[in-house]
Every structure is written in C-alpha cells, then in structure tokens.
Amino acid sequence: MPKISIQPQHNGIALIVEDEVTNRMILKALLKKHGYNVIEAENGAEAIQHFKKQSPDIIFMDVMMPVMDGYEAASEIKRLAGDQFVPIIFLTAMSDEKALARCVEVGGDDFLSKPYSFTVLSAKVKAMERIRTLHRDTRMLYSRMQRDEEIAEQVFSGAVIAGNVALEHIRSLLKPASVFSGDLMLTAFAPSHDLHVLLGDFTGHGLAAALGALPTSEAFRSMTAKGFAPQQILFAINNKLHDLLPTGMFLAAQFVKIDHQLDHISIINCGMPDCYLIENESMRLKYEIASKSLPLGIAPDIDFRDDFHHLRVDEGDRVILATDGVTEARDLNGELFGQKRFIEAIRKSDSSSYIMDKLAKDLEAFCQDAPQDDDISVVEVPLIRELLPGWESGSHHFVTDGDMPQNLFSHEQPDCIEFQLILYGSQLRQADPVPILINYIQETAGLHEHRRPLFTILTELYINALDHGVLQLDSMLKQGEDGFTNYFQQREQRLEALTKGQIRIGLRIHQNNNSGYIVITVEDSGHGFEFKTLSQHVTNETLYSGRGIMLVKSLVKQLQFFEPGNKAEAIYVWEDKL
C-alpha cells in the first residue's frame, strides 16, 4: 500500500528581514513547518522592495540592520499597505522599554524574542492569522455597508431631495458629516403659490438620523400640495414622528411660509438656532427668530399656531435658516465657529451677491482640515418675484372676458354638481375647509389643472369672510413695521375666543365637454364691509386692504357682492384646449 504524505497547509508568504544568516535559516525552517512560503531580506530597503513586488502576508522584522533599520522599514511598509492588514512581528532580544515602545509606534503588531521558540512562534502566528481574518471580514462588511448606504442614499435623494422646488433661486450649504445627513431641507409650492420651506435637524447624523426624513417629506409635500396651512402640516409631521421615532430621537425644525404677494412671511422655530430676516440693501438683521416651540416628535398634539411669527417683508429681503452644525463647527484647536462669526459673515456680505458665498468661505477658512462633528446646513431664501411661480400655461385656461355662458344661474341644468358646507363657532377656529373643498372638486369634477386658481379664489373669499366678516378685523392693522405681527396676534386672540358666528360656502359646478364654470358663494354672519369703495383702496399700493379680493377678481369671470357686503359670489369659467 503506497505511503501517503501529508503536506502542510499553505498559509501564504512570510517575509523575514534579518541581517544574520543563521537567524534567518532557523526562522525560515520554523515558518515552513507552518506552511508558509518564505522570502528573505538582509535589510529594511530590501524588505520594502520585496513587499512591493510580492505582497507578503506576514513580516518578521529585525530592529538593528545596515542600510535601513527595522523602524524605518516598518513605518514605510505600513504606509504602503494602507487599509490592508499586514502584521509585522519584531525580532528582538532587547528589553529596553523605550525601544519596544518605538516598535509599536512605527506599526509593529507583536514581538518575538531571540532565541526563537517554535511553540511561541506558533502561538503568535495563529494570533496574527485570526486578526487578519477578522480584519478581512470587517473590511468586507464595511465595504458592503458602504454599497448599501450608497444605494440607500440614491433612493433617499430621489424620494426626499428631488421633489424640491425653486432651487435655482434658493442658495444652500449642505455638508453631511457622513454619507447620510441628519439634516433635511424641503421646499414646495402651495396651490396659492405660497412657498413653504422647511429646514430640519434630526438627532444625531448618519443613516439612523435620516430615516425620519421619508415620512417627514411625504407629509410636508402632500399637505402643502393640498393647501393645508403650515401649522397643520407641522401638527401632522409632529404626530407622525412621535409615533415612529424611538424615545430620545426628534426633529428640530425651522418652517417659513413666503406669501405669494411677497408682503409678509410666517415663520416658526422649533428647537433650532436663531433664524434671521435680513434687509436687502443694508444687510441689517430686521428680525431674529428664536426657538419658541418644542422639536417635532417629542410630544403629541402640539398646537403650533401661537408660536408662528408673522413678519412684514420687502421685496429683496432674505431669510436665513441654519442648523446648529454651523455655529458648532470646530477649527483645528477645537474652538467653535459660534453665532458671532455667523452674524458677522451676514453683515459683511455684499448685498449684490448671496450671503451664502461669504459664509461658505468663512467656514472653510475657519475649519480648514478639522474633522466635522455634525452635519452643516444653511439655507438662504431671497424674497424676489422670480422665486414664486406664475400661473401655469398649457392646454387649458380660465376665461375672464367675453360673453357669459347662457343660463348661468339655472339650477335645472342636467350636468350640475352642487355642494354646500357650513362652519359654526368653534369649527371656524379649528377647521380649514379649503383643502376639503378642493379635494371634493377634484374628485367629483376632475379639475386638476385648475387647482391653483380655484384654491386662490376659495382661500381669499373664505379668509375675507372669516377675518373681516366674523372676526371683524380691519386690514389697516397690517400697516406699519409690526403691522402683520399685530394683525395675526389679534386674529389668533379673536379666534381663540370665538364661540358663535358662521360661514356658508356653496359650490355649483357645471361641465360641458371641455369647458364649464363654477359658481362659488361665500356668506358670513358678520355685518359686511364697504365693498363699493374696494377699488379705491387697492389703487394705493402702500395699503394691504382689498388685495386678496382684487386678485380673485382677476381670476374669475364675474365677482359680485350682495348687500350689506357679507355675501360674495364668484364665477370661474374655463375652456380646455385639446
């Protein structure tokens, strides 16, 4: 029977770096018993050349050698190896603690004392092999994790970021601390052409912090598109995050609504650093908006209405939103960038350019190559006409001139859909009927292309009935630097105390193939207002009264008021071109 010889398992290539021939021979014999192919070098310079050409799996390095010693060779080999783990075991008979410490400093992973013991050598080799296997598995898992994060980041960008609007005018500085950012910027147009902007900062950063961005963006975009008010959107996001996020995780946020008439903004700060309204020409800080409300997701059913700031603005002003990653950015010495430097960058910016340009340069010069601890996000929103969209053009249009349709006020036409909604007392304080009505119109009549003008008409007529009819507010309160603040404060106070009064909204929709019209009637229980002098008020561009009604008038075929002024009827006519 033939004799079977058992060959030792091949464990790779071992490099022996030793100037003494005898020591090399002994160590070579021991390593071959362990299944290694052995290559030899007489000094550090030769060792580096062998490493470049043959990529050994383990290196045994003497310290004292001619040409190049072990310290220098080990340091260079570790540099060349990069992320790859190549264990270096120093061969030494030294007992000097400083010399041994230096071996570790230059990249040594272990020591082997002379004279060599096969038992000790075996134990050290097996230990290095276990570490190398662990290192390889870790690298493989890390590589897989990076691939998964890159794929998830693409999905995240498509689902969250790609839907943003007005980015050609909004300037932002978004620097994540890792592949995923825990900061979130969302922008969307409401049917009224108001622009909503949300800047948020989830607890922590990375993938875990970014997970809440998906439900947040979904609620933000869908509710903005349906015409819900900012406080309603925040209410919904807050409750959704409270149900989804684990304890201790939340979303600090800044939310600004830019009115389509560019005369005022509504802004709230929920647990974020101060945000700013900047005057265009002087770069003066007109307002600093500090946090008044809890971050989102901490407690359910938060009413955000009282925490909004309603500020008068002028065209060309700018809104600056920022997360705490900006003021808490560190330089190489650990010093914070701070709020003072932030404000200084704003004040020293050129009014003819973006503030973001100056701020980005100052941040880069300050931080240099210091590690980034947190996500950095700043958003600059210039309050300019180009920021907001015009009425959409396409294969359909609304009709504001020409002859009126025949039998316009007939209730007997066969293709007629009629709907009436009445809100009483406290319902006026809590409900927003316009998104409900718009949804009804779309579901029953399918007028998706006319969503924006219809939303504006309904909103302006309803707000006119509520503010001036039921609440008896005077638009002249809006005049002056703090006019909008005073107006909305009085509005909230009167709404809170409201127990009676009513508003009736009626819709009558007539369709005929590709054309049709809607009769919108809004009637309140108030005493009415002097609608006969309305056009005289609007000719004065410095006054804010009557602008909404004149906007409605520009969108409809006919707008009329009935005595004593508490009932309005608007007729919207359309004709879709095929």
Side-chain angles (χ1 to χ4, degrees):
M1 191 171 182
K3 187 177 181 181
I4 300 174
S5 61
I6 300 175
Q7 298 294 327
Q9 184 181 355
H10 177 59
N11 287 327
I13 300 173
L15 170 61
I16 301 173
V17 189
E18 166 70 77
D19 59 335
E20 290 288 341
V21 177
T22 304
N23 289 337
R24 290 205 306 272
M25 289 177 62
I26 296 171
L27 190 54
K28 181 177 180 179
L30 295 175
L31 288 170
K32 281 193 171 183
K33 289 182 179 180
H34 260 287
Y36 280 99
N37 292 328
V38 180
I39 55 177
E40 303 174 47
E42 295 184 2
N43 55 63
E46 286 185 15
I48 293 172
Q49 294 302 316
H50 282 305
F51 180 81
K52 291 178 179 179
K53 292 178 181 179
Q54 303 190 52
S55 300
D57 299 289
I58 189 168
I59 299 172
F60 294 84
M61 180 80 68
D62 192 17
V63 177
M64 307 305 296
M65 294 179 293
V67 184
M68 180 185 289
D69 64 25
Y71 298 132
E72 190 175 349
S75 180
E76 178 63 14
I77 287 171
K78 285 292 186 179
R79 186 189 69 80
L80 292 171
D83 292 336
Q84 183 183 1
F85 178 68
V86 180
I88 297 178
I89 298 178
F90 273 98
L91 309 172
T92 178
M94 298 183 302
S95 59
D96 183 7
E97 291 183 355
K98 290 184 179 179
L100 295 175
R102 191 179 174 195
C103 290
V104 176
E105 289 172 2
V106 298
D109 298 289
D110 206 342
F111 303 95
L112 184 63
S113 300
K114 301 175 183 178
Y116 307 130
S117 163
F118 180 74
T119 303
V120 174
L121 173 66
S122 298
K124 291 182 181 292
V125 166
K126 289 178 181 178
M128 289 300 111
E129 287 173 352
R130 285 196 298 269
I131 294 173
R132 185 170 65 241
T133 300
L134 181 61
H135 189 271
R136 183 178 62 246
D137 292 345
T138 302
R139 285 186 64 196
M140 184 176 64
L141 289 172
Y142 180 71
S143 177
R144 186 182 302 168
M145 182 187 71
Q146 281 187 312
R147 287 198 304 272
D148 290 346
E149 283 193 345
E150 288 169 2
I151 294 171
E153 199 276 334
Q154 292 177 3
V155 175
F156 176 85
S157 298
V160 177
I161 301 172
N164 284 338
V165 301
L167 296 183
E168 66 273 23
H169 300 295
I170 295 174
R171 197 66 174 268
S172 60
L173 174 64
L174 307 172
K175 291 180 62 179
S178 59
V179 175
F180 275 93
S181 175
D183 292 352
L184 173 70
M185 183 187 79
L186 299 171
T187 65
F189 289 122
S192 61
H193 286 191
D194 295 344
L195 175 64
H196 290 177
V197 181
L198 182 148
L199 181 65
D201 182 3
F202 281 97
T203 312
H205 58 268
L207 179 58
L211 288 176
L214 291 173
T216 300
S217 63
E218 180 186 2
F220 174 85
R221 290 211 172 90
S222 63
M223 294 187 69
T224 297
K226 291 176 181 177
F228 285 96
Q231 62 268 22
Q232 295 171 309
I233 297 172
L234 287 176
F235 183 87
I237 293 174
N238 176 68
N239 282 354
K240 181 169 284 193
L241 293 181
H242 180 263
D243 293 339
L244 292 176
L245 297 182
T247 303
M249 189 173 177
F250 52 82
L251 173 66
Q254 296 166 341
F255 191 118
V256 57
K257 184 204 82 171
I258 299 164
D259 187 84
H260 61 277
Q261 295 188 16
L262 281 183
D263 53 13
H264 76 282
I265 63 171
S266 299
I267 189 168
I268 189 172
N269 189 340
C270 306
M272 291 269 272
D274 292 354
C275 41
Y276 307 100
L277 177 63
I278 311 299
E279 189 175 62
N280 182 37
E281 295 297 330
S282 67
M283 307 306 288
R284 175 178 67 91
L285 272 65
K286 293 176 72 171
Y287 294 98
E288 296 183 34
I289 301 93
S291 173
K292 287 179 60 179
S293 183
L294 283 174
L296 311 184
I298 293 178
D301 300 328
I302 298 176
D303 188 347
F304 295 95
R305 285 181 304 176
D306 293 339
D307 295 333
F308 268 89
H309 300 259
H310 305 281
L311 309 176
R312 177 182 174 180
V313 298
D314 297 304
E315 190 169 345
D317 288 349
R318 310 163 193 224
V319 177
I320 302 293
L321 311 175
T323 64
D324 58 8
V326 180
T327 54
E328 294 178 7
R330 298 179 180 273
D331 65 7
L332 293 169
N333 298 318
E335 184 179 352
L336 298 180
F337 186 73
Q339 188 177 24
K340 184 177 179 181
R341 288 187 179 90
F342 186 18
I343 295 175
E344 196 68 17
I346 294 174
R347 287 175 173 165
K348 290 187 176 181
S349 297
D350 187 346
S351 61
S352 62
S353 62
Y354 280 96
I355 292 171
M356 201 65 62
D357 296 338
K358 168 70 172 167
L359 179 60
K361 288 179 181 178
D362 287 2
L363 263 174
E364 185 177 359
F366 178 81
C367 297
Q368 296 182 10
D369 296 326
Q372 186 177 333
D373 299 327
D374 196 4
D375 303 314
I376 293 175
S377 297
V378 193
V379 177
E380 177 180 359
V381 186
L383 305 183
I384 55 177
R385 290 289 166 188
E386 295 81 1
L387 184 71
L388 304 172
W391 294 110
E392 297 177 355
S393 60
S395 60
H396 55 273
H397 68 283
F398 49 87
V399 180
T400 58
D401 55 8
D403 296 331
M404 297 290 289
Q406 294 182 353
N407 302 321
L408 186 63
F409 298 101
S410 172
H411 288 260
E412 298 178 357
Q413 295 188 38
D415 272 343
C416 176
I417 302 171
E418 192 160 5
F419 176 78
Q420 182 172 271
L421 178 67
I422 304 177
L423 293 93
Y424 298 95
S426 61
Q427 294 174 338
L428 295 169
R429 183 171 69 246
Q430 300 167 356
D432 183 358
V434 177
I436 300 171
L437 294 171
I438 289 292
N439 185 65
Y440 173 81
I441 292 172
Q442 291 192 166
E443 291 296 325
T444 56
L447 300 177
H448 300 279
E449 299 87 348
H450 301 276
R451 179 186 184 89
R452 289 189 184 277
L454 287 172
F455 183 91
T456 299
I457 295 165
L458 282 165
T459 298
E460 295 296 345
L461 291 179
Y462 175 73
I463 292 298
N464 180 75
L466 177 60
D467 285 13
H468 309 308
V470 177
L471 300 180
Q472 296 293 302
L473 286 165
D474 188 347
S475 289
M476 296 300 292
L477 288 170
K478 297 176 183 177
Q479 302 304 126
E481 184 72 17
D482 298 322
F484 279 100
T485 299
N486 296 332
Y487 182 88
F488 281 102
Q489 282 179 349
Q490 285 207 32
R491 187 178 193 270
E492 290 301 325
Q493 289 170 4
R494 296 188 188 189
L495 273 174
E496 195 64 32
L498 187 64
T499 57
K500 59 183 180 178
Q502 70 177 50
I503 295 177
R504 182 183 67 84
I505 304 173
L507 298 176
R508 193 166 73 250
I509 306 171
H510 301 267
Q511 287 180 288
N512 181 20
N513 295 326
N514 299 316
S515 61
Y517 59 92
I518 302 180
V519 181
I520 301 171
T521 305
V522 179
E523 182 178 2
D524 65 72
S525 58
H527 301 295
F529 69 101
E530 193 59 42
F531 60 90
K532 295 178 181 178
T533 61
L534 183 61
S535 59
Q536 299 174 10
H537 283 270
V538 179
T539 55
N540 186 346
E541 294 184 356
T542 63
L543 299 179
Y544 294 102
S545 58
R547 289 188 177 186
I549 297 301
M550 294 306 292
L551 176 60
V552 171
K553 196 170 183 179
S554 70
L555 299 175
V556 299
K557 181 76 175 182
Q558 176 180 296
L559 175 64
Q560 57 182 338
F561 288 88
F562 299 90
E563 296 288 356
N566 64 340
K567 179 181 179 181
E569 186 173 71
I571 303 170
Y572 177 82
V573 182
W574 75 89
E575 182 180 356
D576 290 339
K577 296 181 179 180
L578 297 178

